[in-house]
Amino acid sequence: MGRGTLRIYLGAAPGVGKTYAMLAEAHRRVERGTDCVVALVEHHDRPRTEVMLHGLEQIPRSEIDYRSAVFTEMDVDAVLERAPAVALVDELAHTNVPGSRNAKRWQDVEELLRAGIDVISTVNIQHLESLGDVVESITGVRQQETVPDEVVRRADQIELVDMSPQALRRRMAHGNIYQPDKLDAALSNYFRPGNLTALRELALLWTADRVDEYLQQYRGEHNIRTTWQARERIVVGLTGGPEGRTLIRRASRMAAKGSGSEILAVYIARSDGLTSASPKELAVQRTLVEDVGGTFHHVIGDDIPAALLEFARGVNATQIVLGSSRRKTWQYIYGPGVGATVARESGPDLDVHIVTHEEVAKGRGLPIARGARLGRARIISGWLVGVAGPVLLSLLLRSLENGPGLANDVLLFLFLTVAAALLGGLRPALASAAVGVMLLNYWFTPPTQTLTVQDPENFVAIVIFFAVALAVSSVVDLAARRTHQAARLRAESEILSFLAGSVLRGETALDALLERVRETFAMESVALLERASDVDPWTCAGSVGPAPVARPDDADVDMPVGDNMALALSGRVLPAEDRRVLGAFAAQAAVVLDRQRLVSEADRARRLAEGNRIRTALLAAVSHDLRTPLAGIKAAVSSLRSDDVAWSPEDEAELLEGIEDGADRLDHLVGNLLDMSRLQTGTVTPLIREIDLDEVVPMALGGVPEGSVDLDIPETLPMVAVDPGLLERVVANVVENAVKYSPGGEPIAVAASALGERVELRVVDRGRGVPDEAKERIFEPFQRYGDAPRGAGVGLGLAVSRGFAEAMGGTLDAEDTPGGGLTMVLTLTAAPGREPAQDRAVLPAEATS
């Protein structure tokens, strides 16, 4: 079964008669015997629309409960089961009630179309997704229900239901659209004449564009190349010269004489990159075209008249505007010119306008010599060999009593011609051939010292010499140019490969890329400029080199990147053939700049998220973990102050001990919070000095129960370079954490050993251990592993310990304890100048139990 067809009645505003026209079409089809049903039609209590439903089969709607109310929607299953030939579905942009089969009614319609059912629907212009902002700016009302433009564009038929604003307002005044109590508000707000006129114009223009798409599709399918003058399309041919502005303004005045006219400015560049166009002038003309409502197009073509006519016929243009030639009189030896050729080849379907301007006959400059690519030194050498070489050779051969003969003379002159072609290209070779022919004829062909040739064989020899010289020089010049082009393309491919690789590698160094641009094009400075809008000043996003320019207009070369960004280069003017690679660099610079900003924003967002997470955890800690000891202290103090109970000395001592324990816990928690805050803000500044571990570690064990730690720190260990206060905090936190998770009655082991220039302190417990995937997570702030009770702390001990260890230049890592448990390894830097004992240099200390 094939897909069904979609027909849409498009209106400018509610009440123009879309639904009425749809129902009228349904009656016509029913009268012709078509199986047509009403899947869903909203008559909005309009009497005439409701009458049109009589005589048409209606599919019952489905009822949906939503928020204690009952709503009705189209029953898609019922329509599919009924399987009519045509289904009427009103209000295509409608949003279905939550709980429906699809979120949007146009999605319901898509199901019907896929089932082979033809659908007739309605939609207003303000419900098209792309026009939402425009409609809001006109009416002040934002349409919440929209339909994608592509859904409407895919319709097989679109019929505009049009009505003048005055007629629509009269219909409303007669009560044909809204109830009387709503008329005044509607007429004075949404349905004002200005609003309706603007909406009507939107509908007409959108429908005209759709008709134009149908026309272009039809012309393409039927290979129609002639112009159909359905509406005026004016093509403006630009050369990059200053006369382009005059042509654009002239075309704008021509377009203003006919409603709906379109301006298309086109600049045609040669594929070899040779051009006399000014990039700055083209940028100005592009802006001017856009200001007058036209579009700018850049086309590649070696035959400019043919490319211009091909473009004009491709866009179904009706007129071409060209400027009078800037050539001087003698320059017409190169051909009749673009204007004359286009006028001759345009045919009867295209009108060609030749517009005069101030640059007429002021000259375009000589064509760029292809040999100029070979370099000035080679060209000069080629001319010297091609012109002076034959003269010197003639003098040398004349000085000989018995010359080598005419055949050998011709070969010697031919050698000079080939050498001139190799050095300087085609033109020096042609000059060498001409000079050689004259010298051969005058000095070496009987009768000598005249320009006449007596022997026909000698004449043939001279002619063959000239032909061979011309052919050989042409081939040599072509090979030289192809070699130059190949080298250039290779260089371009390497540069583009570098750019592509930088994209794949995710390189975000803007300065490095701009420096590469400066080196590639041998510039003094390169700057990437941007601005917020056309009226805002330019700002520098990045630059390299001395004295970068502040505006694109001040640069020797500027490459636009979008509307409000440009790559500005100072140092020399680039040839046109270099602008393609420069454009790739400019696009990459814009990408790198955007990536830098995205990375910066992502990093800022990450820091904000981390800060929010820490603040949230801190609030949780304050709300629970800090309140728990406070509650215990307050309860003990309240009990001691109570006059109702006579406490014994033992009870008072126990309550006082509880107060002291709670205060110690508070002091520990607040200390960890303050330490974490210092680490987060980067204000931890360790005071490094040399100290022995056995002076610090025993002091850190004061907060753990007696007998819960087995300590093994050899006296022969080297001193360590640490901050004693920070080291004590690290060891205390790690040991307290190990004691907390160690099985009851089993002490933990704290042992130290020397490994080269490092000293390791290991805290070993025999608890449950930590899986590998969680070993790094336990060092994050506010993380407590496993079934640790809420009163066991806020989860900052290990995070603070690792932060302090890293601040001292050490590390703190977690390892599995052989046989079960967790070992925390604190690695510190040994103090210089004191070597560890050799018998323990490579052997770790063993924990003793």
Side-chain angles (χ1 to χ4, degrees):
M1 179 180 296
R3 179 182 174 86
T5 61
L6 175 62
R7 178 172 182 171
I8 293 179
Y9 286 92
L10 178 67
V16 296
K18 303 180 304 297
T19 305
Y20 190 93
M22 178 179 66
L23 293 173
E25 175 64 20
H27 279 287
R28 286 192 293 270
R29 297 198 181 199
V30 170
E31 291 174 359
R32 294 196 299 265
T34 304
D35 183 13
C36 183
V37 301
V38 175
L40 187 144
V41 167
E42 300 286 357
H43 54 75
H44 298 292
D45 296 327
R46 296 169 186 168
R48 296 190 178 184
T49 305
E50 189 173 1
V51 168
M52 291 295 294
L53 286 170
H54 297 165
L56 296 176
E57 178 184 352
Q58 300 185 45
I59 303 294
R61 303 187 187 187
S62 61
E63 295 184 350
I64 299 175
D65 292 329
Y66 179 67
R67 293 184 177 179
S68 303
V70 178
F71 299 88
T72 61
E73 295 288 358
M74 181 174 64
D75 193 337
V76 180
D77 292 326
V79 178
L80 292 175
E81 183 179 357
R82 171 63 174 77
V86 180
L88 274 60
V89 182
D90 203 7
E91 298 183 0
L92 185 63
H94 172 75
T95 300
N96 292 331
V97 175
S100 302
R101 183 190 187 96
N102 295 301
K104 291 285 191 175
R105 185 166 293 168
W106 65 263
Q107 296 172 327
D108 296 336
V109 170
E110 284 292 320
E111 286 198 40
L112 301 183
L113 294 174
R114 286 195 296 268
I117 301 173
D118 295 343
V119 176
I120 304 177
S121 188
T122 64
V123 70
N124 282 327
I125 192 68
Q126 65 263 31
H127 293 296
L128 294 181
E129 183 70 43
S130 64
L131 298 178
D133 295 338
V134 179
V135 173
E136 183 179 10
S137 65
I138 295 172
T139 64
V141 177
R142 180 68 179 184
Q143 297 295 331
Q144 301 300 324
E145 293 186 328
T146 59
V147 59
D149 289 45
E150 186 60 28
V151 174
V152 183
R153 288 186 178 275
R154 286 201 307 263
D156 299 275
Q157 298 181 57
I158 298 177
E159 183 172 336
L160 179 65
V161 181
D162 188 30
M163 178 176 289
S164 68
Q166 294 77 11
L168 180 57
R169 286 172 59 86
R170 281 196 301 270
R171 289 193 62 191
M172 294 188 62
H174 294 160
N176 295 331
I177 300 176
Y178 290 143
Q179 298 298 324
D181 58 338
K182 299 179 180 179
L183 282 180
D184 291 339
L187 289 172
S188 60
N189 290 284
Y190 192 88
F191 288 86
R192 293 196 302 268
N195 290 357
L196 296 178
T197 302
L199 293 174
R200 186 188 187 198
E201 183 179 15
L202 279 178
L204 291 170
L205 290 176
W206 195 92
T207 307
D209 288 339
R210 179 59 175 152
V211 172
D212 191 57
E213 291 178 10
Y214 281 132
L215 179 60
Q216 295 292 350
Q217 180 181 355
Y218 180 84
R219 285 165 51 85
E221 292 174 352
H222 293 80
N223 196 26
I224 298 173
R225 306 298 298 165
T226 59
T227 299
W228 286 5
Q229 299 185 4
R231 66 169 170 169
E232 294 292 340
R233 283 190 177 86
I234 304 173
V235 172
V236 183
L238 301 178
T239 64
E243 77 281 359
R245 306 183 198 181
T246 302
L247 303 184
I248 295 170
R249 293 189 180 99
R250 178 68 176 125
S252 177
R253 291 194 297 271
M254 294 169 58
K257 295 179 180 180
S259 179
S261 298
E262 185 178 356
I263 300 175
L264 301 94
V266 58
Y267 169 70
I268 300 175
R270 297 185 184 276
S271 60
D272 59 6
L274 296 176
T275 178
S276 59
S278 168
K280 292 184 179 180
E281 183 63 31
L282 280 178
V284 171
Q285 293 175 17
R286 177 194 291 268
T287 303
L288 180 58
V289 169
E290 294 172 351
D291 288 343
V292 300
T295 57
F296 185 91
H297 304 268
H298 193 120
V299 177
I300 303 296
D302 292 324
D303 188 342
I304 293 179
L308 180 59
L309 289 171
E310 183 71 19
F311 174 82
R313 293 192 175 103
V315 298
N316 197 27
T318 57
Q319 301 181 60
I320 298 178
V321 176
L322 299 174
S324 297
S325 178
R326 287 185 287 137
R327 292 182 176 187
K328 293 183 180 297
T329 303
W330 65 268
Q331 289 179 324
Y332 280 94
I333 62 174
Y334 296 111
V338 174
T341 304
V342 171
R344 185 181 66 247
E345 302 293 337
S346 62
D349 54 344
L350 270 173
D351 296 335
V352 179
H353 302 266
I354 305 296
V355 179
T356 59
H357 49 84
E358 296 180 353
E359 304 296 323
V360 174
K362 289 187 177 180
R364 297 176 52 189
L366 291 173
I368 299 175
R370 294 181 182 272
R373 305 178 184 183
L374 300 176
R376 184 179 297 275
R378 286 190 59 178
I379 293 174
I380 295 175
S381 301
W383 280 102
L384 289 175
V385 172
V387 176
V391 175
L392 295 176
L393 180 61
S394 298
L395 295 175
L396 177 62
L397 294 177
R398 289 290 295 174
S399 65
L400 299 177
E401 294 183 1
N402 297 319
L406 181 60
N408 292 325
D409 293 341
V410 170
L411 291 177
L412 290 173
F413 278 97
L414 182 61
F415 171 77
L416 291 177
T417 301
V418 173
L422 289 173
L423 291 173
L426 181 61
R427 293 186 177 184
L430 294 178
S432 177
V435 173
V437 166
M438 295 182 64
L439 292 175
L440 281 171
N441 187 10
Y442 190 82
W443 290 110
F444 303 102
T445 305
T448 59
Q449 299 183 9
T450 65
L451 294 178
T452 61
V453 180
Q454 184 176 2
D455 190 348
E457 294 181 359
N458 294 336
F459 179 78
V460 173
I462 292 176
V463 172
I464 292 177
F465 161 75
F466 187 79
V468 171
L470 180 62
V472 171
S473 59
S474 299
V475 171
V476 171
D477 176 73
L478 179 62
R481 285 191 286 111
R482 290 292 182 264
T483 301
H484 172 82
Q485 291 173 358
R488 179 175 183 82
L489 291 175
R490 178 179 178 182
E492 288 185 2
S493 65
E494 290 177 354
I495 293 173
L496 296 176
S497 175
F498 161 77
L499 291 177
S502 66
V503 173
L504 295 176
R505 292 189 298 270
E507 296 178 358
T508 57
L510 180 61
D511 291 343
L513 180 63
L514 296 181
E515 183 64 30
R516 181 65 180 264
V517 174
R518 191 169 75 94
E519 294 175 355
T520 300
F521 298 101
M523 289 292 180
E524 294 179 0
S525 64
V526 179
L528 183 63
L529 307 176
E530 63 175 349
R531 59 183 178 181
S533 66
D534 295 341
V535 297
D536 291 323
W538 290 95
T539 59
C540 183
S543 65
V544 294
V549 298
R551 299 186 309 161
D553 295 340
D554 300 333
D556 293 317
V557 180
D558 69 284
M559 174 59 67
V561 188
D563 295 331
N564 298 313
M565 186 178 292
L567 191 65
L569 295 81
S570 298
R572 65 188 181 94
V573 177
L574 286 181
E577 56 190 4
D578 287 341
R579 293 185 64 84
R580 177 173 57 182
V581 177
L582 181 60
F585 270 114
Q588 177 65 7
V591 171
V592 169
L593 179 62
D594 289 342
R595 183 178 296 161
Q596 281 186 347
R597 289 173 175 172
L598 289 175
V599 170
S600 176
E601 291 177 2
D603 185 61
R604 185 162 59 251
R606 181 187 59 77
R607 292 196 300 269
L608 289 175
E610 180 68 16
N612 289 334
R613 188 181 68 83
I614 291 177
R615 281 192 291 270
T616 302
L618 180 60
L619 289 175
V622 172
S623 65
H624 185 280
D625 297 284
L626 297 183
R627 292 179 63 185
T628 300
L630 281 175
I633 293 173
K634 180 173 178 56
V637 171
S638 299
S639 299
L640 289 174
R641 296 186 61 188
S642 175
D643 298 333
D644 300 336
V645 180
W647 301 102
S648 65
E650 294 80 5
D651 294 334
E652 290 182 356
E654 184 177 354
L655 290 173
L656 291 173
E657 183 180 0
I659 293 173
E660 185 177 10
D661 290 342
D664 291 340
R665 287 181 59 191
L666 274 178
D667 179 69
H668 179 72
L669 292 174
V670 172
N672 276 338
L673 289 172
L674 293 176
D675 290 339
M676 195 67 229
S677 175
R678 293 167 59 200
L679 289 171
Q680 290 290 333
T681 57
T683 57
V684 176
T685 305
L687 302 176
I688 303 297
R689 65 184 182 90
E690 298 179 2
I691 194 171
D692 286 318
L693 279 180
D694 55 7
E695 296 182 23
V696 178
V697 174
M699 299 174 59
L701 305 181
V704 297
E706 186 176 355
S708 60
V709 177
D710 287 340
L711 188 63
D712 180 15
I713 300 180
E715 297 181 356
T716 54
L717 279 177
M719 301 178 73
V720 291
V722 296
D723 183 316
L726 296 184
L727 177 60
E728 182 180 348
R729 294 294 305 276
V730 172
V731 175
N733 283 340
V734 173
V735 170
E736 289 177 9
N737 189 75
V739 171
K740 185 190 310 178
Y741 288 98
S742 183
E746 186 170 350
I748 66 170
V750 178
S753 61
L755 297 173
E757 297 180 353
R758 312 290 289 177
V759 174
E760 286 188 355
L761 181 69
R762 292 176 173 266
V763 180
V764 184
D765 69 59
R766 296 291 179 178
R768 296 175 54 190
V770 176
D772 291 339
E773 62 272 11
K775 282 187 172 61
E776 285 300 314
R777 193 165 64 248
I778 62 176
F779 292 102
E780 296 179 2
F782 303 103
Q783 297 290 326
R784 291 181 296 187
Y785 179 72
D787 55 353
R790 288 290 299 174
V794 294
L796 285 176
L798 293 181
V800 170
S801 298
R802 170 172 276 191
F804 283 171
E806 292 176 349
M808 295 185 294
T811 60
L812 179 62
D813 300 296
E815 298 178 356
D816 290 330
T817 302
L822 185 69
T823 299
M824 305 297 291
V825 183
L826 175 63
T827 305
L828 303 171
T829 303
R834 179 173 173 181
E835 297 294 332
Q838 295 298 322
D839 57 343
R840 297 185 325 279
V842 295
L843 297 177
E846 294 183 359
T848 59
S849 58

